[in-house]
Amino acid sequence: ILVFLILRLYKMESDASFDRFRQLYMMRYQQLLDRSTRLIMPRWIAWSIAVLLYIIRVWWIQGFYIISYALGIYNLNLVLGFITPQFNPETEDGPELPTKADEEFKPFVRRLPEFKFWYSSFKSFVIGFMLTMTRLVDIPVYWPILFCYWCVLVFITMRRQIKHMIKYKYVPFSTGKKVYAGKARKNVK
């Protein structure tokens, strides 16, 4: 009984230390994510590098087309969430997009914010890269069929989304605040 109690006490201490380590790790990880929110260009450069590494890996080993197809579908879903308004004017009551020139401007609010879009997409490519390390998920398929089917899906979904954008007159991308040029100032001496 004494040995059992000692082992039980040791297990509780190791679980507590593991929980402390996990909590500390998660706190540091969240701090890193919080600091990276304002660094838009470096985040997208890191994403580009992750995508490039994944593409090189798949091209080099000539496999994992199912994983690539799943990544394509998942990232297409993320793109749709990124370019879709948070409140759908057809089904939900929310802030409406202006439909006439004299209506008040309301900014475009995305269903999926840019940071969450980047983070989810980056994670998907990192997980996809890790999945290419094992042959267990390398299912042999004829990849041109998957690629053609993915292209058809992209075409159909983007056509539907563009029609929705035209119907409700919104553009999910902006170049920033408009700056109007005033009268040219004369050099006063």
Side-chain angles (χ1 to χ4, degrees):
I1 294 176
L2 184 59
V3 172
F4 176 74
L5 289 175
I6 292 172
L7 288 175
R8 181 75 175 157
L9 183 62
Y10 177 74
K11 185 176 182 333
M12 286 175 59
E13 286 178 7
S14 65
D15 286 347
S17 65
F18 177 73
D19 286 342
R20 280 193 303 265
F21 172 75
R22 191 175 135 269
Q23 187 178 15
L24 180 65
Y25 173 77
M26 292 306 289
M27 192 176 2
R28 296 275 167 94
Y29 183 69
Q30 189 61 46
Q31 285 175 346
L32 180 67
L33 286 178
D34 291 343
R35 287 183 188 152
S36 71
T37 55
R38 60 186 175 86
L39 305 172
I40 296 171
M41 188 60 71
R43 281 191 288 119
W44 285 103
I45 289 171
W47 177 85
S48 300
I49 291 169
V51 170
L52 187 64
L53 287 174
Y54 178 80
I55 291 171
I56 290 171
R57 171 92 174 137
V58 169
W59 176 75
W60 184 266
I61 58 180
Q62 297 292 310
F64 298 98
Y65 301 120
I66 292 289
I67 302 297
S68 300
Y69 176 72
L71 276 174
I73 296 294
Y74 181 73
N75 281 288
L76 175 63
N77 187 28
L78 290 176
V79 167
L80 286 175
F82 182 68
I83 63 174
T84 304
Q86 185 176 16
F87 300 103
N88 189 349
E90 292 177 342
T91 59
E92 299 176 17
D93 291 332
E96 295 184 12
L97 298 169
T99 56
K100 298 176 187 160
D102 60 342
E103 286 186 5
E104 178 184 346
F105 171 74
K106 296 177 183 141
F108 181 78
V109 180
R110 300 178 189 286
R111 187 176 70 186
L112 183 66
E114 184 267 340
F115 182 79
K116 288 184 179 180
F117 171 59
W118 169 83
Y119 183 62
S120 299
S121 183
F122 186 79
K123 273 194 325 188
S124 72
F125 279 103
V126 169
I127 290 169
F129 188 82
M130 291 186 327
L131 286 173
T132 62
M133 299 296 174
T134 176
R135 287 284 178 189
L136 192 63
V137 291
D138 188 14
I139 301 168
V141 293
Y142 187 61
W143 69 266
I145 292 175
L146 286 179
F147 182 71
C148 289
Y149 185 61
W150 183 80
C151 289
V152 167
L153 280 175
V154 168
F155 176 76
I156 290 171
T157 55
M158 294 311 276
R159 184 179 66 181
R160 182 178 53 101
Q161 189 66 32
I162 290 171
K163 282 182 181 179
H164 191 269
M165 289 179 193
I166 292 170
K167 181 178 179 182
Y168 291 101
K169 297 178 181 160
Y170 67 90
V171 179
F173 307 105
S174 68
T175 56
K177 185 177 178 182
K178 291 182 181 179
V179 177
Y180 298 99
K183 295 180 181 177
R185 294 186 177 184
K186 296 179 181 178
N187 289 339
V188 179
K189 292 186 181 181

